[in-house]
């Protein structure tokens, strides 16, 4: 303790009062002194304008304002030097204690905490002295009020002759070399910035663990300007000042150059200095993690973790908003773009503390018919504009990307602008996936996402913080919103019309076949979502049906995307809750892979994607070709009920129609223990609605299957087979089946029956086998559901096996109707009892066209 008191005495001898030696540790929620807006943050160097200034027309007015900027810079440098001096004052005392038996900091810690600070002080002391001397040389030629007056014109006591004299002195005053010297030594700042996090970590740790250092670190005073008033800083706040200085210096350089006439000798020098400063700042923004941190209070820091553009739904309306996720809150803002030469601004919309915040991935919303047609109309207009712009860009396609973009925009600026506006409208009105935010205070908000991958990224980022969040210091919303321009990591909405690289994107048909997955920790019902990016001219996402609870689910389901500007493929594995669970669907894992036009082929290429513990096997093929314009009205799906099963399977590119697979999977997921499944009827309205959904939108039908009564699912499956124009077992084989059942030898009967089954068309045969294996699994639970094999054969026999229809005028053997029913039931019952029943193929194999080995993509 004696060593500590010696350090305190040393500080007091330097006229730096040390307060609170006998006081308890301060309130950890007390806010720090420097405001949140003064942060070292990623700035767009093109938008570094200071607050609006009047338009200056004459060189004399520009020189007057230039002098004001330089005087302000001089005052600011004086305050900054005082802050650096106060930061360095305890260094000597801390070094002295480092060699004792009770050090406050070790020698290595002292070196880390004050790394490059003496060099920064010396650098700015030289700059301050040089700038002060040069501005002082103007005093004989200009009155003080001329330099410090509020307006750009001459002061009340300044004659025309004096004004001309001051103007000539302004042209003679050069400071570019001073700024060039300080910018050329930015390597000193680079070292400080790279060391900053280590220094702050030592200060935070020692402040919490050592009372001697805490008293020292929280009682530092600095003179604030020429009035000699004192400001109280924490050690950490003073360490932050050099970070803030880099940004402020760049801003001042921008303003100084703006008020320096082009004919002034400083103008080209300041241009180069500003370029160097911006380049340095840009490099630091990309590599420094500390750039996004904002001190709220002792012991707590607010940091921007993620930001981006989302659609905010409020009172039925949709608005594109810029959402900022901090370590303790969500901030929703409206971006108000500045006019040319002016800085963009943010306006506060709402915020939610993360403490206690609940997230819910809501059901996909449905568009109204009017909205549906409006979006398709916008897509069609945007497609035509894009086609016209492609024709315009042909002469400049060989230029570098940046020059290509600039040249095309110079030629067709209005069309680019129109296309960006249309894309913004589509971006606002097309998303259908809601992420619901529920706060304990009762404030709720809904964000709409166009991509499940994007929704899950936001959900994961928010969930990580809500789990660790304990308390939240209420923010200064005005200050926090104002700081968004500096803090933001995302500058523009994700518009492909701005970001698209034509040479690295896909235009044509991309086919994706999802085969299987493995690596699940426990049996589960899962489905796979596939999404592609690009222009929203066509559908960009699809999903498989939900598998039966399994460790290794199989889907073998194919999707075809019309893509324009696609560069990435996203795959998500989603867990569906079991029957009786109240939780919502949950994304188990996800990944994103880049689509390389040179790597994809017109033949299927099979590969395995590693999504952490889960691996998903799929096949890809790509056929580049010009695309037809999107229809003004949404494309209507062809009906599947009352259609030949072969035509439906061909339309879907499968061997077992989707309606059969989806219904079977859903019954096995939650209906195996339902008493009387396939025997008891459901509400007619539920079955009618499901039939309409399957005839119009497979995606909507799959969504409905998950929430209707399971007896409605079994009912729609029976209805599908009942309404087939030709039965699953062809009618011309009915007599053959009748004769086969009469064969007394069981072995010969089995051979004949299996041979008859193999003579059926491929789609009929595989669909029948698929259904038989399902019914056997249902019968395995007959002790619960009361549905043995004979009951199931009785239900499905008349739908699957039908006798030929008698035609008027034709003679043939008369068959008793009751005998026909017996044959129908017995045929199905025989196959259900077979021990050597072949497995069904649900999809056409996708790896028979290629001899390439599987690829494993680890993400």
């Amino acid at each position: 303790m004696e060593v500590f008191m010696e350090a305190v005495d040393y500080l007091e001898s330097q006229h730096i009062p040390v307060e609170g030696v006998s006081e308890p540790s301060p309130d950890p929620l007390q806010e720090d002194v420097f405001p949140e807006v003064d942060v070292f943050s990623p700035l767009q160097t093109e938008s570094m304008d200071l607050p609006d200034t009047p338009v200056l027309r004459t060189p004399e007015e520009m020189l007057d304002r230039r002098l004001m900027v330089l005087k302000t810079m001089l005052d600011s440098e004086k305050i900054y030097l005082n802050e650096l001096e106060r930061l360095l004052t305890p260094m000597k005392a801390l070094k002295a204690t480092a060699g004792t038996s009770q050090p406050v900091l070790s020698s290595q810690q002292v070196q880390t905490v004050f790394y490059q600070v003496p060099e920064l002080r010396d650098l700015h002391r030289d700059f301050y002295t040089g700038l002060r001397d040069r501005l002082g040389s103007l005093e004989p030629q200009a009155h003080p009020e001329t330099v410090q007056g509020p307006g750009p014109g001459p002061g009340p006591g300044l004659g025309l002759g004096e004004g001309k004299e001051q103007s000539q002195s302004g042209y003679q005053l050069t400071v570019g070399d001073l700024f060039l010297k300080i910018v050329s030594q930015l390597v000193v700042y680079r070292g400080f910035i790279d060391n900053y996090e280590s220094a702050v970590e030592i200060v935070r740790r020692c402040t919490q663990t050592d009372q001697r250092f805490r008293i020292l670190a929280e009682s530092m005073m600095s003179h604030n300007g020429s009035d000699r008033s004192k400001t109280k800083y924490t050690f950490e706040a003073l360490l932050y000042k050099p970070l803030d200085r880099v940004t402020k210096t760049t801003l001042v350089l921008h303003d100084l150059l703006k008020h320096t006439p082009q004919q002034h000798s400083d103008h080209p020098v300041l241009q180069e200095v500003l370029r160097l400063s911006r380049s340095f700042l840009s490099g630091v923004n990309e590599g420094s993690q500390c750039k996004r941190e904002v001190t709220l209070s002792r012991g707590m820091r607010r940091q921007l973790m993620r930001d981006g553009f989302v659609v905010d739904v409020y009172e039925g309306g949709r608005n594109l908003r810029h959402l900022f996720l901090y370590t303790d809150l969500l901030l929703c803002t409206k971006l108000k773009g500045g006019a040319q030469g002016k800085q963009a601004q943010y306006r506060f919309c709402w915020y939610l503390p993360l403490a206690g915040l609940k997230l819910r991935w809501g059901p996909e919303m449905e568009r109204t018919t009017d909205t549906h047609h409006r979006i398709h109309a916008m897509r069609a207009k945007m497609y035509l504009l894009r086609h016209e712009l492609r024709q315009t860009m042909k002469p400049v396609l060989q230029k570098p990307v940046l020059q290509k973009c600039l040249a095309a925009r110079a030629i067709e600026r209005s069309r680019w602008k129109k296309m960006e506006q249309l894309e913004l409208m589509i971006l606002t009105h097309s998303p259908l996936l809601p992420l619901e935010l529920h706060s304990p205070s009762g404030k709720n908000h809904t964000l709409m996402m166009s991509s499940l991958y994007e929704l899950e990224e936001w959900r994961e980022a928010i969930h990580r913080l809500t789990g660790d969040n304990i308390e939240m210091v209420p923010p200064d919303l005005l200050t926090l919103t104002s700081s968004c321009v500096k803090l933001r990591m995302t500058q523009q909405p994700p518009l492909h019309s701005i970001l698209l690289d034509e040479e690295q994107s896909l235009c044509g048909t991309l086919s994706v076949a999802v085969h299987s997955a493995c690596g699940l920790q426990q049996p589960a019902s899962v489905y796979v979502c596939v999404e592609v990016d690009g222009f929203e001219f066509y559908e960009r996402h699809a999903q498989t049906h939900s598998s039966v609870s399994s460790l290794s689910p199989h889907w073998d389901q194919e999707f075809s995307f019309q893509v324009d500007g696609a560069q990435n493929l996203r795959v998500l594995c989603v867990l569906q809750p079991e029957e009786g669970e109240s939780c919502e669907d949950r994304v188990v894992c996800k990944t994103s892979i880049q689509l390389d036009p040179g790597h994809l082929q017109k033949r299927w290429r099979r590969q395995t994607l590693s999504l952490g513990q889960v691996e998903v096997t799929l096949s890809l093929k790509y056929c580049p070709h010009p695309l037809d314009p999107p229809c003004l009205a949404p494309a209507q799906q062809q009906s599947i009920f009352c259609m030949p099963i072969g035509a439906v399977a061909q339309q879907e590119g499968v061997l077992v129609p989707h309606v059969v697979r989806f219904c079977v999977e859903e019954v096995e997921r939650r209906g195996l223990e339902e008493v009387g499944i396939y025997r008891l009827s459901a509400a007619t309205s539920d079955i009618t609605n499901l039939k309409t959904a399957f005839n119009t939108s497979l995606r909507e039908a799959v969504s409905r299957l998950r929430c209707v009564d399971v007896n409605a699912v079994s009912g729609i499956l029976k209805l599908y087979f009942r309404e087939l124009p030709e039965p699953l077992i062809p009618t011309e084989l009915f007599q053959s089946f009748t004769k086969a059942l009469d064969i007394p030898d069981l072995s010969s009967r089995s051979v004949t029956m299996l041979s008859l089954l193999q003579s059926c068309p491929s789609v009929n045969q595989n669909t029948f086998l698929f259904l038989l294996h399902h019914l056997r699994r249902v019968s395995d639970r007959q002790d619960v559901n009361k549905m043995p094999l004979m009951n199931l054969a009785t239900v499905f026999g008349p739908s699957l096996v039908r006798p030929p229809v008698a035609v008027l005028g034709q003679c043939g053997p008369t068959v008793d109707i009751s005998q026909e029913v017996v044959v129908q039931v017995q045929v199905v019952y025989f196959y259900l009892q077979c021990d050597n029943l072949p497995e069904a193929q649900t999809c056409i194999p996708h790896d028979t066209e290629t001899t390439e080995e599987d690829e494993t993509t680890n993400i």
Side-chain angles (χ1 to χ4, degrees):
M1 195 65 181
E2 293 179 358
V3 177
F4 174 70
M5 293 309 299
E6 290 177 5
V8 173
D9 293 338
Y10 176 82
L11 291 175
E12 291 179 342
S13 68
Q14 298 297 317
H15 306 291
I16 302 176
V18 181
E19 303 172 355
V21 175
S22 59
E23 297 175 4
S25 58
D27 181 1
L29 294 181
Q30 181 179 340
E31 292 205 20
D32 216 328
V33 293
F34 62 93
E36 296 172 356
V37 71
D38 293 334
V39 293
F40 184 75
S41 56
L43 288 174
Q44 285 292 327
T45 53
E46 292 79 3
S47 61
M48 285 186 179
D49 295 338
L50 290 176
D52 294 348
T53 54
V55 178
L56 306 176
R57 295 181 174 85
T58 67
E60 289 76 14
E61 292 174 333
M62 295 179 70
L63 289 174
D64 286 344
R65 185 55 61 93
R66 169 182 156 94
L67 283 176
M68 294 175 63
V69 172
L70 289 173
K71 289 287 289 184
T72 303
M73 179 69 173
L74 186 66
D75 293 339
S76 177
E77 279 289 309
K78 188 173 183 179
I79 296 173
Y80 180 49
L81 278 173
N82 284 330
E83 292 166 344
L84 291 178
E85 291 289 355
R86 294 304 172 256
L87 179 60
L88 287 171
T89 300
M91 183 176 67
K92 184 176 181 180
L94 292 172
K95 280 185 176 180
T97 64
T100 66
S101 60
Q102 292 181 317
V104 179
L105 295 178
S106 67
S107 298
Q108 182 61 42
Q109 287 176 325
V110 173
Q111 182 178 355
T112 301
V113 169
F114 297 99
Y115 183 71
Q116 296 287 42
V117 178
E119 290 79 2
L120 290 175
R121 177 199 56 191
D122 296 341
L123 176 64
H124 280 271
R125 181 186 288 164
D126 293 342
F127 176 78
Y128 172 78
T129 302
L131 184 60
R132 180 195 61 192
D133 293 344
R134 296 193 187 184
L135 289 176
S137 66
L138 289 182
E139 292 300 326
Q141 287 85 12
H143 298 289
E145 59 266 45
T146 305
V147 179
Q148 300 179 5
L158 186 63
L160 292 176
E162 291 175 335
K164 291 181 179 180
E165 185 178 347
Q166 179 193 357
S167 177
Q168 293 175 358
S169 299
Y171 273 105
Q172 295 171 2
L173 174 65
T174 58
V175 294
D177 59 318
L178 296 178
F179 282 96
L180 184 60
K181 181 179 179 181
I182 197 170
V183 171
S184 65
Q185 299 185 51
L186 283 174
V187 64
V188 180
Y189 270 99
R190 176 81 262 184
F192 178 88
I193 291 169
D194 291 340
N195 180 74
Y196 174 77
E197 286 186 341
S198 300
V200 169
E201 178 61 28
I202 292 174
V203 170
R204 290 179 186 171
R205 185 171 63 251
C206 293
T207 301
Q208 295 174 1
T209 60
D210 193 322
Q211 183 180 6
R212 300 171 300 168
F213 187 82
R214 180 164 58 247
I215 296 171
L216 181 69
E218 296 176 354
S219 306
M220 305 181 74
M221 307 294 292
S222 176
H223 294 292
N224 188 15
S226 58
D227 59 357
R228 306 300 291 176
S229 62
K230 292 184 177 181
T231 301
K232 181 179 177 180
Y233 291 98
T234 64
F235 205 130
E236 189 176 339
L238 286 175
L239 269 177
Y240 178 82
K241 291 301 177 181
L243 296 181
D244 189 38
R245 198 66 190 173
V246 179
T247 303
K248 285 185 176 179
T249 299
T250 307
L251 291 171
V252 170
L253 278 169
H254 181 274
D255 207 33
L256 184 62
L257 180 63
K258 185 165 59 175
H259 300 302
T260 300
Q262 290 189 1
Q263 58 270 35
H264 197 289
S265 59
D266 262 355
H267 194 273
V269 181
L270 291 175
Q271 277 186 320
E272 177 64 14
V273 171
L274 181 58
R275 185 190 67 80
L276 293 173
S277 181
R278 282 176 169 175
S279 177
F280 173 79
L281 185 60
S282 177
V284 170
N285 282 343
E286 292 177 0
S288 176
Q289 187 66 22
C290 64
K291 63 190 177 185
R292 300 194 300 267
E293 292 189 352
V294 181
T295 296
L296 284 175
S297 63
R298 302 176 194 141
M300 182 176 183
R301 297 185 70 82
R302 174 175 294 146
Q303 182 179 352
L304 179 63
M305 307 303 293
R306 177 185 175 90
D307 71 307
F309 288 86
V310 299
V311 176
D312 180 30
V313 179
Y314 180 70
E315 294 184 350
R318 289 171 171 246
N319 298 286
L320 193 63
R321 297 289 185 247
H322 201 158
L323 189 67
F324 292 83
L325 173 62
Y326 293 92
T327 46
D328 61 335
L329 61 89
L330 265 176
L331 176 68
C332 182
T333 64
K334 176 183 179 181
L335 175 62
K336 186 178 183 298
Q340 188 171 5
K342 295 184 179 180
Q343 182 172 298
Q345 296 178 344
Y346 283 95
R347 290 182 178 177
F348 171 79
C349 293
W350 52 262
Y351 89 95
L352 290 176
L354 297 186
L357 187 66
K358 302 297 182 183
L359 306 180
R360 181 175 179 267
W361 168 17
E364 183 173 324
M365 298 183 66
E366 296 183 9
R367 298 191 187 107
T368 64
T369 304
D370 180 60
T371 303
H372 221 44
H373 285 285
R374 288 178 58 194
I375 289 176
H376 278 271
M378 286 189 288
R379 286 175 174 172
K381 291 179 182 178
M382 189 173 171
Y383 177 90
L384 294 176
L385 277 172
R386 176 159 166 70
H387 178 73
E388 294 173 358
L389 285 167
R390 275 178 170 169
Q391 301 300 318
T392 303
M393 291 174 64
K394 282 184 178 180
V396 293
L397 285 178
Q398 303 303 320
K399 297 183 179 181
V401 175
L402 180 59
Q403 295 182 13
K404 182 194 309 180
C405 182
L406 293 176
R409 284 175 178 270
I411 298 172
E412 293 289 345
R413 185 175 301 275
S414 62
R415 289 183 180 176
W416 277 109
K417 189 69 175 177
K418 182 64 175 176
M419 190 163 75
E420 289 174 13
Q421 291 174 349
L422 284 171
E423 193 172 0
L424 275 174
M425 293 176 66
I426 293 175
L427 188 65
T428 303
H429 295 283
S430 63
L432 295 174
L433 297 173
L435 178 61
E436 299 174 0
L437 311 173
H438 301 277
S439 175
S441 64
K443 295 182 179 179
N444 304 321
H445 292 276
T446 300
L447 306 176
M448 300 299 298
M449 310 285 181
S450 58
S451 159
L452 179 58
Y453 191 92
E454 178 191 12
L455 183 147
E456 180 61 16
E457 283 190 323
W458 274 106
R459 193 203 63 79
E460 284 181 348
I462 296 172
H463 183 72
R464 281 196 299 267
L465 297 173
T466 54
D468 298 331
N469 189 69
I470 300 175
E471 57 186 347
M472 196 278 296
V473 175
D476 177 351
L477 294 175
L478 180 61
T479 303
L480 186 60
T481 306
S482 300
S483 69
C484 288
V485 172
K486 291 185 178 181
L487 292 171
R488 59 182 179 176
M489 295 174 280
T490 304
Q491 304 293 330
Q492 298 290 341
L495 301 181
H496 271 70
S497 54
I498 298 176
L499 307 174
L500 179 63
D501 185 354
E502 290 276 355
E503 299 176 357
Q504 298 299 321
S505 60
L506 274 60
C507 178
T509 300
L510 175 68
S511 298
V512 182
V514 182
H515 302 302
S516 60
C518 61
L520 293 172
Q521 298 301 303
Q522 58 185 11
S525 299
V526 295
Y527 59 94
V528 172
C529 291
V530 181
E531 300 176 339
V532 293
D533 58 359
F535 289 99
E536 294 192 13
F537 299 150
Y538 314 94
E539 288 297 325
R540 302 189 303 158
H541 49 91
Q543 68 183 48
T544 67
H545 62 279
S546 181
S547 69
V548 180
S549 183
S550 169
L551 280 172
S552 301
H554 285 76
W555 297 279
D556 289 326
Q557 196 166 340
E558 180 183 336
F559 306 105
S560 183
F561 298 98
Q562 300 295 304
V563 292
D564 193 354
Q567 295 178 315
N568 296 281
L569 175 72
R570 294 163 175 173
V571 181
L572 303 95
C573 189
V574 186
L575 173 67
Q576 197 171 20
E578 298 298 331
E579 178 70 9
E581 296 181 0
S582 58
C583 58
E584 60 193 24
D585 292 7
R586 178 171 59 88
V587 176
V588 179
C589 51
K590 67 183 190 308
T591 190
S592 177
I593 61 173
Q594 186 172 358
L595 296 171
D596 184 359
H599 185 68
L600 295 171
Q601 303 176 6
K602 293 184 179 179
R603 297 188 304 172
W604 288 105
R605 186 183 185 92
R606 193 182 185 100
Q607 63 185 83
T608 300
L609 301 182
S610 178
L611 290 70
Q613 294 181 341
V614 179
E615 292 185 346
V616 174
T617 302
L618 49 78
S619 295
L620 300 174
K621 71 175 179 180
Y622 168 57
C623 180
H625 59 82
L627 295 173
D628 294 329
C631 301
L632 290 177
Q636 294 294 323
Q637 175 184 298
Q638 295 183 11
S639 298
I640 62 172
F641 277 77
C642 303
M643 294 289 294
I645 192 170
V648 174
Q650 182 179 13
Q651 172 186 315
E652 297 175 346
V654 294
L655 293 175
V656 177
H658 291 323
V659 61
V660 178
R661 293 186 62 186
F662 293 166
C663 290
V664 164
E665 299 280 4
E666 191 64 23
V667 168
E668 293 192 12
R669 190 177 72 85
R670 58 189 179 97
L672 292 181
E673 297 185 356
E674 187 76 18
V675 176
I677 189 70
Y678 287 118
R679 181 170 53 82
L680 298 181
S681 299
T684 305
S685 59
D686 287 345
I687 295 178
T688 302
N689 291 336
L690 279 175
K691 179 181 177 180
T692 303
F694 272 110
N695 278 332
T696 55
S697 172
L698 182 63
R699 191 172 166 192
E700 181 185 348
V702 173
S703 178
R704 286 179 180 269
L705 280 180
R706 297 172 185 165
C707 55
V708 298
D709 178 32
V710 70
N711 286 308
V713 180
S714 62
I716 197 68
L717 179 62
K718 292 187 295 181
L719 180 66
Y720 174 75
F721 288 121
R722 191 162 59 246
E723 292 191 350
L724 284 175
E726 289 291 332
L728 205 57
I729 300 298
T731 56
E732 59 267 21
L733 296 178
F734 185 83
Q735 296 298 336
S736 299
F737 276 108
T738 303
K739 294 177 181 179
L741 288 173
D742 291 335
I743 299 175
D745 181 63
L746 181 61
S747 177
S748 299
R749 188 192 315 160
S750 297
V751 171
T752 304
M753 293 289 285
L754 290 176
S755 176
L756 287 173
L757 180 59
Q758 291 174 355
S759 68
C760 295
S762 178
V763 172
N764 299 54
Q765 178 186 153
N766 283 285
T767 302
F768 187 54
L769 288 171
F770 183 80
L771 179 64
L772 290 174
H773 283 289
H774 163 63
L775 296 179
R776 289 172 64 162
R777 287 190 289 270
V778 173
S779 179
D780 289 342
R781 309 296 292 275
Q782 60 179 298
D783 56 329
V784 179
N785 58 39
K786 312 301 180 185
M787 291 297 291
L789 293 178
M790 178 54 73
N791 285 12
L792 293 169
T794 303
V795 170
F796 279 93
S799 299
L800 303 178
V801 184
R802 301 179 209 160
V805 178
V807 180
L808 185 64
Q810 290 185 354
C811 298
T814 59
V815 181
D816 186 7
I817 294 179
S818 61
Q819 184 63 29
E820 290 179 350
V821 174
V822 170
V823 172
Q824 293 170 326
V825 174
Q826 288 298 321
V827 168
V828 176
Y829 184 61
F830 177 87
Y831 284 117
L832 285 173
Q833 290 180 302
C834 280
D835 295 330
N836 57 343
L837 201 64
E839 290 293 332
Q841 287 187 346
T842 56
C843 289
I844 301 172
H846 294 89
D847 54 349
T848 57
E849 302 177 19
T850 176
T851 59
E852 296 161 338
E853 295 183 357
D854 287 7
E855 294 183 357
T856 300
T857 306
N858 295 304
I859 305 297

